[in-house]
Amino acid sequence: MSERRAGRVTIKDIAERAGVSKVAVSYALNGRPGVSDETRERIVAIARELGWYPNRAARALSAARADACGLVLARPANTLALEPFYMEFIAGAESELSSRAMALTIQLVRDVTEELEVYRRWWGEHRVDGVLLVDLRVEDPRIEELARIGLPTVVVGGPVPGNVLPAVWHDEEFVVVEAVRYLAALGHDRIAQVAGVEEFVHTQQRTNAFRRAMEDLGLHPETVTTDYTPESGAIATRRLLSSPEPPTAIIFDSDLLAVTGLGVAQQMGFAVPGDLSIVGWDDSLISQVVHPPLTAITRDIAAYGILATRHLLDVVDEQTTGDRETARGALTPRGSTGRPRSVAAGRVGARRR
Amino acid sequence: MSERRAGRVTIKDIAERAGVSKVAVSYALNGRPGVSDETRERIVAIARELGWYPNRAARALSAARADACGLVLARPANTLALEPFYMEFIAGAESELSSRAMALTIQLVRDVTEELEVYRRWWGEHRVDGVLLVDLRVEDPRIEELARIGLPTVVVGGPVPGNVLPAVWHDEEFVVVEAVRYLAALGHDRIAQVAGVEEFVHTQQRTNAFRRAMEDLGLHPETVTTDYTPESGAIATRRLLSSPEPPTAIIFDSDLLAVTGLGVAQQMGFAVPGDLSIVGWDDSLISQVVHPPLTAITRDIAAYGILATRHLLDVVDEQTTGDRETARGALTPRGSTGRPRSVAAGRVGARRR
């Protein structure tokens, strides 16, 4: 360890200031016998005053702990930049870790192959103590591989039958049913869904819930899937609104898709909510600043990140191997939903006030 | 090092498979003499096959390298979640680091005091090799402290007179002047600016450039500052549009502020661009999906993150102590800017085609 940059306080600096040997400082700071209580207190006070911190690499070597958790996102960078979900989730995870003086290490990759390579490297290099696994897929090769290499993992999403790893999830289905029933109660009978990536577990959960809720009401469910990019959301919305009998209400699987859909509707001359009601998932501030502000499925995403991280730290400490469920979303009605124009006109006489 | 979780490959595993001693494996993998070339090749092949990685904690201890760079963001979490700028900047920084098998460590803090504490801890604990300093302030106490403790740093922003740390920056002023002249050429003479946080260097640079460009044209510059939150942007826009002589064009200092301003204008019955032209900074996809799509000052933010990171790694390697300038933004005209209604009507006869 030849290194001694200006300003990084070393054992030697403390020894010089205290007028004792480096060994005495080491004993004092590591809580070992060999120095008097008085000397120990004086050395600890000097270390604190100088701003000394134990070398984490040395500590990690002896403790076999990296004091860091990892998150790998397999997405193109320009999509990520637009997902408020991940910024809020990361903010939650980060707040939990920093309260324990742990770090969050993030890596972006292009695909699952690269993602698995990162996990193997991180684990082999002692870079992380555990990882959060996101964007859970229906047949997810990552689960088996993470279980095989033994890297502590919490799966974010599910529940998935046969998943051998601990998971944190919430009920995606309940609130989709609630949104469909709310739109139907307003008088909508042509309701469509613009969904996210088809292979994701939560997309399938929402799509299945949408289909069942529509069929329960005797309505025809129409779902168009996207890859979450605004381009694909715009194409899906244009296709729906260009059909001979366009929907009078659309549920979008993210806030970015919903704002994009609002733009497409306005550009095509559809009044919102007069001609088209819009409901979006996730309800970041973007949903709230557009005009009209969007009715949204509100989730506490930061709390989801906090819970997932706490659960991961329990897994790392071998305190648990189970699952944890977090609060489901709730529908927040705003200006983008209303009765369809035809119903609003036809029902005027029958309205009760 | 008692630790040996299932799946994490150790020197012992390789030794068992190769039928040699742990010492021989260590010699082979560290490129030291003591084993034959043939044995070395066989051991390296087995290590690769098993997926072995050197323990980074051990390597960091001997190399005095953390193989990580740090980024601290002093912002409330709910604001961060909405800043596409940081997601794109982080994506750029991360892509540069991961191509060198280095990690990005991110921490959110509430204020500068906490931020400085994180730098001191990271440096003392050997957690990072260097940091990127963002949200540069006019009188920034972080510069002196980072220089004092000797943590390699690249300042993102500036240039600031008297800054002793290496910096990466781009010309914020040129494109503001370009935007003002473009709006004036369309016939606008009441142009306002909704600016970001007043203490930030780039806010002052943009505000000064706006004032000079307006005064050069004989126009009165009006600037309202915000804290970058949608709430403050909505208040600023409402105040401007409620005045007796509201502006016919507004330049917003971020895309989120611009989208918020568009929503407020539409809610108040101002047609965009008929009654109000809108220009926004940064031009993330959010600017492009609303209706009308926003005229924006486009920057390659990911490239900014890449350049800043490359520069930081050069600083860490003591290859440079200088500054680097990156490409300035350019104006991208879209549907949110046009001639003001009065001018469009009055000039019809005089239009040349």
Side-chain angles (χ1 to χ4, degrees):
Chain A
M1 294 282 292
S2 65
E3 181 213 1
R4 184 159 167 254
R5 280 191 191 252
R8 179 136 72 180
V9 178
T10 63
I11 297 277
K12 193 176 163 211
D13 299 323
I14 300 168
E16 279 169 11
R17 175 76 73 93
V20 298
S21 69
K22 279 163 60 178
V23 173
V25 173
S26 177
Y27 284 172
L29 296 177
N30 288 301
R32 294 199 204 137
V35 287
S36 70
D37 284 353
E38 192 192 339
T39 305
R40 184 188 311 277
E41 276 168 29
R42 195 162 57 84
I43 288 170
V44 168
I46 288 169
R48 195 168 294 153
E49 183 196 329
L50 292 177
W52 174 86
Y53 290 90
N55 182 334
R56 199 193 59 84
R59 206 160 69 82
L61 192 62
S62 59
R65 271 295 177 89
D67 285 341
C69 289
L71 178 69
V72 181
L73 293 168
R75 300 204 164 188
N78 63 340
T79 306
L80 176 75
L82 285 151
E83 286 286 358
F85 176 88
Y86 278 109
M87 276 311 261
E88 294 186 24
F89 187 84
I90 288 168
E94 213 290 322
S95 71
E96 181 62 25
L97 288 171
S98 62
S99 73
R100 303 171 188 229
M102 294 181 71
L104 180 67
T105 298
I106 295 174
Q107 188 138 358
L108 311 186
V109 295
R110 277 167 299 187
D111 54 37
V112 167
T113 308
E114 277 190 22
E115 183 174 346
L116 289 174
E117 181 59 27
V118 170
Y119 293 140
R120 285 188 286 258
R121 182 164 57 78
W122 275 356
W123 188 224
E125 294 183 350
H126 296 231
R127 266 185 192 273
V128 298
D129 300 314
V131 295
L132 295 171
L133 186 77
V134 296
D135 288 341
L136 185 63
R137 285 160 190 274
V138 178
E139 306 239 321
D140 204 313
R142 299 174 299 172
I143 289 178
E144 197 183 337
E145 178 64 6
L146 282 162
R148 191 188 69 78
I149 67 175
L151 170 54
T153 303
V154 162
V155 173
V156 178
V160 176
N163 170 25
V164 294
L165 298 174
V168 168
W169 58 278
H170 67 92
D171 184 344
E172 306 262 351
E173 301 181 5
F174 178 89
V175 71
V176 172
V177 174
E178 193 170 69
V180 169
R181 289 191 183 157
Y182 162 72
L183 291 169
L186 287 171
H188 296 275
D189 52 13
R190 294 197 307 278
I191 307 170
Q193 179 202 20
V194 172
V197 174
E198 199 169 1
E199 293 77 24
F200 287 175
V201 167
H202 73 258
T203 303
Q204 297 229 344
Q205 290 171 333
R206 294 178 192 178
T207 303
N208 291 340
F210 174 72
R211 196 184 60 237
R212 278 200 305 273
M214 289 290 283
E215 287 171 355
D216 282 352
L217 293 164
L219 301 175
H220 170 70
E222 176 156 23
T223 296
V224 188
T225 57
T226 69
D227 61 6
Y228 276 123
T229 60
E231 291 79 3
S232 65
I235 290 169
T237 309
R238 262 197 301 272
R239 186 177 305 159
L240 287 167
L241 296 183
S242 304
S243 69
E245 287 217 311
T248 58
I250 305 180
I251 300 172
F252 291 88
D253 258 13
S254 80
D255 26 28
L256 189 62
L257 289 174
V259 169
T260 302
L262 174 66
V264 168
Q266 290 175 333
Q267 192 270 327
M268 289 177 71
F270 284 71
V272 176
D275 300 319
L276 181 71
S277 284
I278 289 178
V279 176
W281 266 86
D282 289 355
D283 196 18
S284 73
L285 282 182
I286 296 172
S287 326
Q288 301 166 38
V289 301
V290 293
H291 181 73
L294 300 183
T295 294
I297 293 172
T298 309
R299 294 193 283 176
D300 190 342
I301 297 167
Y304 198 22
I306 290 170
L307 184 78
T309 305
R310 280 193 193 146
H311 199 52
L312 176 59
L313 296 174
D314 284 350
V315 169
V316 168
D317 290 337
E318 301 180 353
Q319 299 293 308
T320 180
T321 55
D323 291 356
R324 225 177 264 177
E325 187 179 353
T326 183
R328 59 194 175 201
L331 193 69
T332 306
R334 297 200 187 91
S336 69
T337 45
R339 297 203 296 161
R341 211 187 282 274
S342 56
V343 173
R347 273 197 194 163
V348 165
R351 270 170 86 183
R352 290 172 300 204
R353 297 219 53 168
Chain B
M1 295 282 291
S2 65
E3 181 212 1
R4 183 158 167 252
R5 277 191 193 255
R8 179 136 72 182
V9 179
T10 64
I11 297 275
K12 193 174 162 212
D13 299 323
I14 301 168
E16 280 170 9
R17 176 76 72 96
V20 299
S21 70
K22 280 164 60 179
V23 174
V25 172
S26 178
Y27 284 171
L29 296 176
N30 289 301
R32 293 198 204 138
V35 287
S36 70
D37 283 353
E38 192 192 338
T39 305
R40 185 188 310 280
E41 277 169 28
R42 195 161 58 85
I43 289 170
V44 168
I46 288 169
R48 195 166 295 150
E49 183 197 329
L50 293 178
W52 174 85
Y53 290 91
N55 182 333
R56 200 193 60 85
R59 208 161 69 83
L61 192 63
S62 59
R65 273 295 177 89
D67 286 340
C69 288
L71 178 68
V72 182
L73 294 168
R75 302 205 162 186
N78 63 340
T79 305
L80 175 76
L82 286 151
E83 286 286 358
F85 176 89
Y86 278 109
M87 275 312 261
E88 294 187 21
F89 188 85
I90 288 169
E94 213 289 324
S95 71
E96 182 63 25
L97 288 171
S98 62
S99 74
R100 303 169 188 232
M102 294 180 70
L104 180 67
T105 299
I106 296 174
Q107 188 138 1
L108 312 186
V109 296
R110 277 166 300 185
D111 54 37
V112 167
T113 308
E114 277 191 20
E115 183 174 347
L116 290 174
E117 181 59 27
V118 170
Y119 294 139
R120 285 187 287 260
R121 182 164 57 77
W122 275 357
W123 189 224
E125 293 183 350
H126 297 230
R127 264 185 193 272
V128 298
D129 299 314
V131 294
L132 295 171
L133 186 76
V134 295
D135 289 341
L136 185 63
R137 286 160 189 274
V138 178
E139 306 239 321
D140 203 314
R142 299 174 300 171
I143 290 178
E144 198 183 334
E145 179 65 6
L146 282 162
R148 190 187 71 77
I149 67 174
L151 170 56
T153 302
V154 161
V155 173
V156 178
V160 176
N163 170 24
V164 294
L165 298 174
V168 167
W169 57 277
H170 68 93
D171 184 344
E172 306 262 351
E173 301 182 4
F174 178 89
V175 71
V176 173
V177 174
E178 194 170 69
V180 169
R181 289 191 183 156
Y182 161 72
L183 291 168
L186 288 172
H188 295 275
D189 52 13
R190 294 197 308 279
I191 307 170
Q193 179 201 20
V194 171
V197 174
E198 199 168 2
E199 294 77 24
F200 287 175
V201 167
H202 74 258
T203 303
Q204 298 230 343
Q205 289 172 333
R206 295 179 191 177
T207 304
N208 291 339
F210 174 72
R211 196 184 60 237
R212 279 199 305 274
M214 289 290 282
E215 287 170 355
D216 283 352
L217 293 164
L219 301 175
H220 171 70
E222 177 156 22
T223 296
V224 188
T225 56
T226 69
D227 61 6
Y228 275 124
T229 59
E231 291 79 2
S232 65
I235 290 168
T237 309
R238 262 197 301 272
R239 187 178 304 158
L240 287 167
L241 296 183
S242 304
S243 68
E245 288 218 310
T248 59
I250 305 180
I251 300 172
F252 291 87
D253 258 13
S254 80
D255 26 28
L256 189 61
L257 289 174
V259 169
T260 304
L262 173 67
V264 168
Q266 290 174 332
Q267 192 270 327
M268 289 177 71
F270 284 72
V272 176
D275 300 319
L276 180 71
S277 284
I278 289 178
V279 176
W281 266 87
D282 289 355
D283 196 18
S284 72
L285 282 182
I286 297 172
S287 326
Q288 301 166 38
V289 301
V290 291
H291 181 74
L294 299 184
T295 295
I297 292 172
T298 310
R299 294 194 282 176
D300 190 341
I301 297 165
Y304 199 21
I306 290 170
L307 183 80
T309 306
R310 279 193 193 148
H311 199 53
L312 176 58
L313 296 174
D314 284 349
V315 169
V316 169
D317 290 338
E318 300 180 352
Q319 299 294 308
T320 181
T321 55
D323 290 357
R324 224 177 264 179
E325 187 178 351
T326 184
R328 57 195 175 201
L331 193 69
T332 306
R334 297 200 189 92
S336 70
T337 47
R339 298 201 298 160
R341 209 185 283 274
S342 56
V343 172
R347 273 195 194 163
V348 165
R351 272 171 85 183
R352 289 174 302 205
R353 300 216 54 168

